[in-house]
Amino acid sequence: MIFQRITPDRYNDVIVHLRDSFFFDEPLNKAVKLCTAGTGNEELENYSIATLEDGLSIMAINDNEEIAGVALNGILLRGDIEEALINLSQLKDERTKKIFRLLYDQNLKLNLFHRFNVDKIFEIRILSVDAKFRGQGLAKELWRRSEVMATECNFQLMKADATGLFSQKVSISFGFSPCLELSYNTYTDKQGDPIFKVDPPHDNLKIMYKLINQKN
């Protein structure tokens, strides 16, 4: 398996990979029935392309240059979350809007920029492995290489919005810690009903973080 940065000529291939795996399989997407295997979602695809354009994403490809897995990594700057919340009303799909509102609201509560006195954060936004390549340690290797890249690019803080047990376990194995945990059962509408009915074993959102490039 070869690991390399994702360049613009492979963006479309990455989107096809995500349509066949992450877009329908991610716990929150699945809970709102966002899409089925092989189908896309315009707003998720726009989000993915914008992340790819930060130039920090990594893919694993086999000898036939078939994408086996990806880590879509982006740069989060001060004010980005506030701006994203303002622009949320422009999204057409209410299901997508519901997911992003949850993530933005919880991140806004944390104010990690102030807490850790940083101006930029390296975000692991999407970690996806094709079903036929799972069980080979690709997710961990993509995560490891993402951390190497973050270190080389002089970031001091990494984070991931781990919406399911899978990404939570991977992040913990690399020394990430939760700075926020939210049970999906407690995230309710005005009637007290859970907004997301997420299938087990995915029962909570954990925003995970790790400090890097720390001087002793």
Side-chain angles (χ1 to χ4, degrees):
M1 200 69 69
I2 300 169
F3 294 85
Q4 59 188 45
R5 281 202 193 201
I6 301 173
T7 49
D9 59 298
R10 296 305 301 265
Y11 286 3
N12 185 64
D13 297 330
V14 170
I15 295 299
V16 171
H17 161 81
L18 294 174
R19 288 173 184 165
D20 291 336
S21 54
F22 182 85
F23 285 165
F24 78 93
D25 208 25
E26 188 278 329
L28 292 179
N29 295 352
K30 206 169 185 179
V32 299
K33 298 180 173 59
L34 194 61
C35 49
T36 57
T39 64
N41 176 278
E42 180 182 356
E43 286 154 355
L44 276 185
E45 291 179 19
N46 290 340
Y47 175 78
S48 299
I49 293 294
T51 298
L52 288 168
E53 289 173 346
D54 282 345
L56 299 173
S57 298
I58 302 170
M59 63 181 175
I61 57 175
N62 63 11
D63 291 339
N64 297 321
E65 296 199 351
E66 180 183 7
I67 294 178
V70 298
L72 266 58
N73 306 315
I75 303 169
L76 186 67
L77 301 174
R78 287 180 182 269
D80 281 354
I81 297 173
E82 291 86 345
E83 183 179 354
L85 270 170
I86 291 171
N87 294 332
L88 204 58
S89 61
Q90 299 175 15
L91 298 185
K92 302 172 185 176
D93 192 321
E94 289 298 323
R95 297 166 301 177
T96 312
K97 192 182 297 185
K98 194 183 298 185
I99 293 170
F100 280 127
R101 181 173 296 283
L102 164 66
L103 299 177
Y104 295 154
D105 282 346
Q106 301 310 310
N107 274 277
L108 200 58
K109 289 178 184 178
L110 289 171
N111 196 0
L112 294 176
F113 295 99
H114 176 75
R115 178 174 173 180
F116 295 108
N117 191 28
V118 295
D119 293 316
K120 62 179 183 178
I121 298 172
F122 186 102
E123 277 195 312
I124 299 179
R125 294 178 181 166
I126 293 177
L127 184 66
S128 171
V129 175
D130 188 292
K132 63 178 175 287
F133 294 104
R134 291 173 188 169
Q136 302 179 32
L138 292 184
K140 285 192 172 183
E141 185 61 16
L142 286 163
W143 196 287
R144 185 190 73 79
R145 288 172 181 266
S146 295
E147 185 168 335
V148 169
M149 184 180 293
T151 302
E152 291 176 345
C153 292
N154 296 314
F155 285 83
Q156 293 180 296
L157 180 64
M158 297 181 68
K159 84 167 211 39
D161 297 339
T163 58
L165 187 62
F166 168 68
S167 56
Q168 291 166 9
K169 284 185 173 181
V170 174
S171 65
I172 289 170
S173 73
F174 283 94
F176 281 63
S177 302
C179 50
L180 180 144
E181 298 185 42
L182 175 71
S183 170
Y184 293 128
N185 286 335
T186 65
Y187 187 71
T188 58
D189 58 22
K190 293 179 180 179
Q191 289 71 44
D193 297 320
I195 294 174
F196 298 100
K197 296 180 180 179
V198 184
D199 292 335
H202 315 292
D203 56 12
N204 58 51
L205 162 69
K206 291 184 180 180
I207 298 180
M208 310 295 293
Y209 80 97
K210 183 177 181 178
L211 291 168
I212 59 174
N213 284 324
Q214 296 301 295
K215 297 178 182 179
N216 295 328

